[in-house]
Structure formats: C-alpha cells, structure tokens
C-alpha cells in the first residue's frame, strides 16, 4: 500500500499515543481475514486491545479524497464489514480530509459507523472508542438461616419450605423474608459501621466477606409450620458481601445483528385445497412423478433448489441480494425467485399426490445495527448462592433482540439466551 501523507502518518502516531495507556496494539495497513471464506482484507489502521478476557478490535479507514466522501465510496467501505462473511470488528471509524455527503452521514448513523474529518480526528478522544467494561455489585446476601432452639430434624425441611415467623404483631413472613427484615431494619440501622467495613473488605477479597448475625428476640416468636408452633428465641443467619464482578464489555451504543439468508415463504402451483399453506409445508413431501423418489420435505427441497442449485449457477443473483442488503435502510432484504417449469414433481400431502408445475420461493436476510441497552443484575437461589447476568436489549433490522449472558468466575459463559421478536 502506498505510504500516506505526513498528515495521515501523524494521525496514526496520534492514535498510538492516545491508546497507549490501554496497552492497545495499533497496526497500519493490517491484513485481516474475514469471518467467512475469502481472502484477507486490508484495513488502513487496526486498533486491538483487551478488556478482561475479551479482544476488542477497532478499524480506522482513512480516505484521501478532494471532495466529500460520497455514498458509492462509503458503501465500498461498509461492504468490507457489514455483509455476511465480512471482517468482524467492534467499531468502524472513517476519516477523510473533506467530510461526508448528507446521505453518507445518515447511512453511517444507521450502521453505527463513526465519521471524522482529518481535523476532528487529530483532536478526538480516541479512548472513547474503546468499549467500557461495566461492573456490578450485588446486595448483601442472606445465607445459612438457623434457629435457636434448633428445629427438630424430622420437620426441618418443612419448616424451611413452608415455615412462617409469627409473633404478637402477626405473621412476619418466611424465614428468608424475616431475615431480610432483620438485615435492613436492625443490622443496617444499628451496625452501619460494621456493615461498611465488611463491604470495604469484600472489595479486596476474591471470596467476599461474611458477617455472622445471632440476634436474640426481645419478645416471644414462633416458627409456625403445618399447624405446629416451634419456639424461637434467637434468629441466626450469615450476611455475605460480594466483590464487584466484571460484566461483558459492551461497545457503547451499537449492536450488529445478522440473520443469514433463509427461506421465508414458499408458494406452490397449482395450489392445494383443503389445508393452509403452513400445514402443507409442515406435512408435505416432494416426490418424483416417475420413480416415486422422495426429495424431502417442502422446505428441504426448496432449500436445495435455491442454495445448492440456482444461486451457485448464477452468482450475480447473490451479489445483487447482498448489495441490496448492505444498502437497506431497515437492515433487511428479500429475494424472490420464480421456478416456472418444474417437471415430474408432485407434492405428497395426506396420502395424495398433487402435481407441481411451478413455485415461487422468497429468501430473507437481516444485517443491521441498532442501539443497545445493557443492564447488569443478580439473582439469589434458595441456598443463598449468587448468579450474575447481563441483559442486552436492542432493536435492529425490524427485530427486538434480548440477550441474557450469565457470568461465571470460572470463565466464559456456557450458554447465552437469545430471544427475537418483531419490533412492531
């Protein structure tokens, strides 16, 4: 790649200096392999840094043009990152000497691409492009609840599950609810210095800090379980203060969301009466009218027809579809293919073969960027154990996206829960 002017060389040096405190690696003219199949792509300046166990990548595209960067040139940049099989990075920044046209500014906003003039880039705070690493801290957790006198072993389990704390003032709740009353109504009120000290110690201890509470009751209480009242003179439990936990680093503002091309509708001709299209697709099979060969379900047959036969024969169709997807203002695209001369095929549905002469198959794909909201929270199980989660919410490509990421001190999560819904 030809060496850049002094202005752009200064920009690279300035980025290196700005990101040095984060121990970032800055590479000029970096070759990066895309996520799918293909040759490595060149990125003008690549910034790589780490947030905890996660690798964060920022791509900077510096373009020297005498005029404002237009849509054609911008889409050539966006196509490097925002199509299936593109280079995956956490943030794309485009720098040019003379600014950007209005359509480019609007398109960049929809994709979450940062636009800077060369002058702005030289005075920009580059550290803001690094994802923040949020942390979250749980409320003190109640554990190891016990009573004195001890509860007899043969009813201990029932008391733990169904027992109620009762006094002259009425039902004070389950043992766990009563412990929370004592914690926030007595311990936090009368021993706040001790609580603050335990909280400070927990911040520096991997296992946190535990306080033991053994509180005499100043008037008669009982544990009522299955019609039996058990005397309660002292209420005993532990309070655990946790060390703050690091959450998944989230790129501020944006989530890239993609659904690979897939078949969304199938229209068969002649139409089959007596059932809905959904029922026919769910139960029907495609068979040969000559030899009775089974070609699979209707969806399996349609998938092979589109993705294994039609598109490989004419790659230009797929290229146009990808271009439409990359330029779509809503992050979605549809491709309808007509198969007008289908020979020797029938739809076998509920033991009847129905001749098939033509079909219309529609393919759908999503590739969009949307604003992201991140919330960290914790749950406590029955035994007092803590579970930490990050909940991500975004709307992109006409979809509402909810992602729940559980966190573990042992390493990356084993499962991530994803829920999709229509944004309307």
């Amino acid at each position: 790649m030809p060496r850049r002017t002094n202005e752009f060389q200064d920009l690279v040096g300035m980025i290196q200096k700005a990101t040095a405190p984060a121990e970032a690696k800055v590479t000029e003219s970096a070759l990066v392999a895309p996520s799918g199949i293909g040759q490595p792509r060149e990125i003008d300046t690549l910034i790589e840094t780490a947030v905890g166990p996660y690798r964060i990548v920022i791509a900077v595209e510096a373009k020297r043009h005498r005029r404002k960067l237009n849509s054609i040139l911008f889409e050539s940049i966006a196509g490097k990152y925002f199509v299936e099989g593109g280079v995956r990075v956490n943030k794309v920044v485009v720098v040019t000497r003379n600014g950007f046209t209005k359509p480019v500014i609007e398109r960049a906003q929809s994709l979450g691409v940062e636009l800077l003039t060369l002058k702005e880039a030289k005075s920009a705070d580059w550290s803001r492009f690094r994802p923040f690493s949020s942390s979250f801290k749980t409320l003190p957790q109640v554990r190891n609840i016990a009573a004195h006198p001890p509860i007899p072993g043969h009813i201990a389990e029932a008391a733990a599950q169904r027992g109620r704390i009762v006094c002259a003032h009425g039902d004070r709740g389950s043992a766990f609810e009563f412990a929370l009353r004592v914690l926030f109504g007595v311990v936090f009120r009368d021993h706040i210095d001790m609580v603050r000290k335990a909280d400070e110690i927990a911040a520096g201890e991997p296992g946190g800090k535990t306080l033991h509470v053994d509180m005499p009751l100043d008037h008669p209480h009982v544990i009522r379980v299955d019609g039996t009242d058990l005397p309660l003179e002292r209420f005993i439990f532990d309070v655990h203060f946790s060390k703050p936990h690091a959450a998944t680093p989230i790129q501020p503002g944006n989530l890239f969301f993609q659904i690979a091309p897939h078949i969304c509708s199938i229209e068969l001709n002649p139409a089959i009466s007596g059932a809905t299209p959904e029922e026919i697709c769910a139960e029907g099979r495609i068979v040969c009218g000559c030899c009775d060969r089974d070609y699979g379900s209707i969806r399996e047959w349609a998938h092979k027809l589109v993705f294994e036969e039609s598109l490989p024969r004419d790659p230009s169709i797929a290229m146009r579809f990808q271009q439409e997807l990359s330029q779509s203002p809503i992050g979605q695209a549809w491709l309808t293919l007509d198969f007008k001369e289908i020979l020797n095929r029938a739809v076998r549905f509920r033991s009847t073969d129905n001749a098939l002469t033509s079909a219309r198959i529609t393919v759908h794909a999503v590739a969009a960027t949307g604003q992201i909201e991140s919330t960290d929270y914790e749950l406590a199980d029955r035994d007092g154990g803590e579970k930490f989660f990050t909940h991500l919410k975004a709307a992109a490509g006409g979809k509402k996206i909810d992602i729940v990421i559980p966190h573990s001190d042992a390493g990356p999560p084993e499962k991530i829960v994803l829920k999709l819904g229509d944004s309307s």
Side-chain angles (χ1 to χ4, degrees):
M1 178 179 178
R3 299 294 291 173
R4 299 195 178 279
T5 64
N6 289 336
E7 288 179 302
F8 282 94
Q9 283 294 319
D10 291 345
L11 175 62
V12 174
M14 187 271 299
I15 293 173
Q16 290 174 325
K17 182 178 179 180
T19 55
E23 298 182 349
K25 176 184 176 184
V26 180
T27 306
E28 187 179 8
S29 300
L31 291 175
V32 179
S35 58
I37 300 173
Q39 295 296 318
R41 306 293 298 276
E42 185 177 47
I43 297 175
D44 292 341
T45 303
L46 189 71
I47 305 170
E48 299 172 274
T49 187
V51 179
Y54 302 91
R55 176 174 173 265
I56 306 303
V57 182
I58 302 169
V60 182
E61 297 285 354
K63 302 303 176 187
R64 295 177 296 170
H65 297 286
R66 294 182 179 180
R67 299 180 179 179
K68 292 183 177 182
L69 191 76
N70 60 33
S71 295
I72 295 175
L73 295 173
F74 179 79
E75 290 302 334
S76 69
I77 298 171
K80 188 188 299 185
Y81 303 98
F82 297 102
V83 297
E84 184 178 7
V87 178
R88 288 290 169 258
V89 297
N90 299 90
K91 186 70 176 178
V92 177
V93 183
V94 180
V95 180
T96 188
R97 180 179 285 112
N98 295 311
F100 310 86
T101 63
K102 184 177 179 181
V104 168
I105 295 172
E106 294 173 349
R107 174 71 169 147
Q109 288 177 340
S110 71
L111 294 175
V113 174
E114 189 81 16
L115 301 180
L116 297 173
T117 64
L118 182 58
K119 182 178 179 180
E120 291 170 338
K122 288 184 176 181
S123 60
D125 176 13
W126 285 86
S127 63
R128 69 187 174 90
F129 295 121
R130 292 182 66 246
F132 64 85
S133 179
S134 59
S135 64
F136 55 95
K137 187 179 172 83
T138 66
L139 291 172
Q141 298 293 303
V142 172
R143 298 178 175 177
N144 305 323
I145 298 174
H148 184 82
I151 299 173
H154 68 284
I155 60 171
E157 183 177 353
Q161 293 179 353
R162 301 186 296 276
R164 310 290 294 181
I165 309 298
V166 181
C167 70
H169 299 96
D171 188 322
R172 312 298 288 172
S174 67
F176 182 75
E177 292 168 337
F178 188 67
L180 292 179
R181 287 175 180 268
V182 173
L183 174 61
F184 294 107
V186 179
V187 177
F188 273 48
R189 183 191 65 198
D190 298 339
H191 305 282
I192 188 62
D193 291 339
M194 182 177 66
V195 169
R196 287 172 177 164
K197 184 65 176 177
D199 197 37
E200 291 174 4
I201 295 173
E205 296 290 334
K209 173 66 176 176
T210 299
L211 290 181
H212 185 67
V213 177
D214 187 342
M215 191 184 78
L217 300 177
D218 59 4
H219 61 278
H221 285 68
V222 298
I223 301 176
R224 183 167 294 166
V225 53
D226 297 339
T228 300
D229 288 350
L230 306 172
L232 180 63
E233 299 173 3
R234 297 204 319 270
F235 193 70
I236 304 163
F237 60 93
D238 291 334
V239 183
H240 182 73
F241 295 81
S242 297
K243 180 179 180 179
H245 288 248
T248 306
I250 303 302
Q251 179 68 29
N254 297 296
L255 171 73
F256 181 77
F257 172 63
Q258 181 171 349
I259 298 178
H262 59 281
I263 291 173
C264 64
S265 70
I266 304 171
E267 181 183 331
L268 304 177
N269 292 300
I272 300 174
S273 60
T276 65
E278 291 77 15
E279 290 174 330
I280 295 168
C281 274
E283 302 176 36
R285 310 285 294 183
I286 302 296
V287 298
C288 179
C290 299
C291 64
D292 206 39
R293 177 182 172 183
D294 189 323
Y295 287 91
S297 68
I298 293 175
R299 285 200 172 274
E300 290 171 337
W301 169 78
H303 188 278
K304 292 178 182 178
L305 191 61
V306 171
F307 294 105
E308 297 180 19
E309 298 179 19
S310 298
L311 295 185
R313 278 200 304 265
D314 189 353
S316 64
I317 298 176
M319 292 176 64
R320 288 196 300 270
F321 181 55
Q322 289 291 352
Q323 184 177 16
E324 181 181 345
L325 180 61
S326 68
Q327 296 176 354
S328 169
I330 62 171
Q332 297 189 73
W334 289 264
L335 170 67
T336 298
L337 299 175
D338 285 310
F339 300 90
K340 297 182 177 179
E341 295 183 2
I342 298 176
L343 302 177
N344 298 323
R345 297 291 182 267
V347 180
R348 182 164 292 167
F349 178 67
R350 296 178 181 173
S351 303
T352 300
D353 287 356
N354 303 269
L356 178 61
T357 59
S358 65
R360 170 171 287 187
I361 301 173
T362 301
V363 177
H364 173 244
V366 176
T369 300
Q371 290 293 112
I372 190 170
E373 298 178 17
S374 174
T375 304
D376 297 322
Y377 61 95
E378 58 83 22
L379 295 175
D381 58 26
R382 186 180 294 275
D383 298 327
E386 300 165 349
K387 296 185 182 298
F388 306 94
F389 300 86
T390 293
H391 180 202
L392 307 179
K393 295 191 297 182
K399 300 291 182 181
K400 289 194 301 184
I401 306 149
D402 287 273
I403 304 173
V404 177
I405 306 173
H407 300 286
S408 169
D409 292 334
E414 294 182 359
K415 295 182 179 179
I416 295 177
V417 179
L418 170 66
K419 180 181 178 182
L420 298 179
D422 292 332
S423 60
S424 57

